[in-house]
Amino acid sequence: MIGLTQASLSFGALRLFTGLSLEVPRGRTTAILGPNGRGKTTLLRAMLGFQPLDRGRRHGPAIVGYVPQHGASQAKLSGLEVVTMGRAARLGLFGQPGVRDREAARAALVQVGACHLADLRHDRMSGGQRQMILIARALATGSDALVLDEPTSALDLGNQARTLSLIAALGRAGDRAILFTTHDPNHALAVADEVVLMMPGGAVVHGPAAAMITPDLMAELYGVPMHWVRPEGPGSRIAMLPAFTGKDAA
Ligand SMILES: Nc1ncnc2c1ncn2[C@@H]1O[C@H](COP(=O)(O)OP(=O)(O)OP(=O)(O)O)[C@@H](O)[C@H]1O
C-alpha cells in the first residue's frame, strides 16, 4: 500500500536511514519511535513523497490522509470547512467542493465523533478538538493511507485516550494502512501491529510491536533504563516506564 524500497537519506553527516525497505499494507498499523531529532518526521515525509530520497524508491497512493505535528489552526474557518479542505486534492485547480465533497466531510466528522464541532471556528477550538478535526480532514481525503505525526503529543490524557481509541478503531476496520510517530512505547504497543525503531547512530530496525517494545531495545533507543510496570485489577494495562531519580531518592 505505502512504503519505501532500499531507501537512503542523509543530511550532511546526519544519517537518517540507509537501505531501508518498509511496507505498511492495508489493514495494518505501524508506529515509528526514536529520540528527538532522529528523523521520524522526515521518514514520514519520505513515505508521503514530500521528502526526496538520496537513493531508493517510494511507493503509495497519490493522495494520503496526513495529520501534521501540532497542526496549525486554520484561522476563521469552521470545523466543517477545515474537514472539507481534505477534498482539495480531488478538485481541479479552480474546482469548488460539491455535494459529494460536503457529504464526505460530514461522514468524516461523524466517524471521529466531532459533529458538534462543525460550526465552531478552528482557531477557537481546544487542542484536542483541533486534533479531531485534523484527523477528520485526513479521513475526508478518502485515501486508503493515513499518516499521523505525533498525534497525541499536545493532548491531555483524556484526549490522548480518545485519539488512540480512534486510531485503534480505524485500524480494526482493516481497510487502511496507518502510520504514526510517537514518543510513547505504550501507545505503540496498544495500537500498532508493527514498530519501527530509529536507533541512535543511524540504524533502523522494525518488526512486530511485541518484539520491538522491550526494556532492552527501549533502553538502547532512549539511553535510559526502562522497565515494565504490571498493574493489577480489571481494565489495567501493562506499561513501560523510564527509570529516573525522583524526589523519594535516598
Ligand atoms: N531539509 C532539511 N535539511 C537539513 N536538515 C534537516 C532537514 N529536515 C530535517 N532536518 C534535520 O533532520 C533531523 C531530523 O528531524 P526530524 O524533524 O525528522 O526529527 P524527529 O525525529 O521527528 O524529531 P522530534 O522527535 O524532535 O520531533 C533534525 O536534526 C533536523 O534538523
Side-chain angles (χ1 to χ4, degrees), residues 11 14 35-42 69 150 183:
F11 291 132
L14 182 67
N36 283 131
R38 178 59 186 81
K40 298 177 296 298
T41 295
T42 308
Q69 195 175 350
E150 291 190 31
H183 283 300

Side-chain angles (χ1 to χ4, degrees), residues 73-154:
S73 74
Q74 306 292 326
K76 295 194 178 168
L77 294 184
S78 72
L80 182 60
E81 286 168 331
V82 173
V83 177
T84 307
M85 284 168 62
R87 304 296 295 172
R90 295 185 181 275
L91 305 174
L93 187 55
F94 301 107
Q96 293 293 316
V99 176
R100 266 187 75 191
D101 301 305
R102 280 190 286 275
E103 279 174 4
R106 290 257 175 219
L109 277 175
V110 171
Q111 206 171 355
V112 305
C115 293
H116 58 294
L117 301 176
D119 298 324
L120 193 64
R121 267 176 54 167
H122 195 246
D123 61 352
R124 292 185 182 160
M125 292 180 194
S126 73
Q129 291 172 328
R130 275 185 203 168
Q131 189 69 314
M132 286 299 156
I133 290 297
L134 294 179
I135 294 174
R137 182 180 68 177
L139 295 177
T141 61
S143 175
D144 297 337
L146 179 62
V147 171
L148 310 98
D149 197 356
E150 291 190 31
T152 55
S153 66

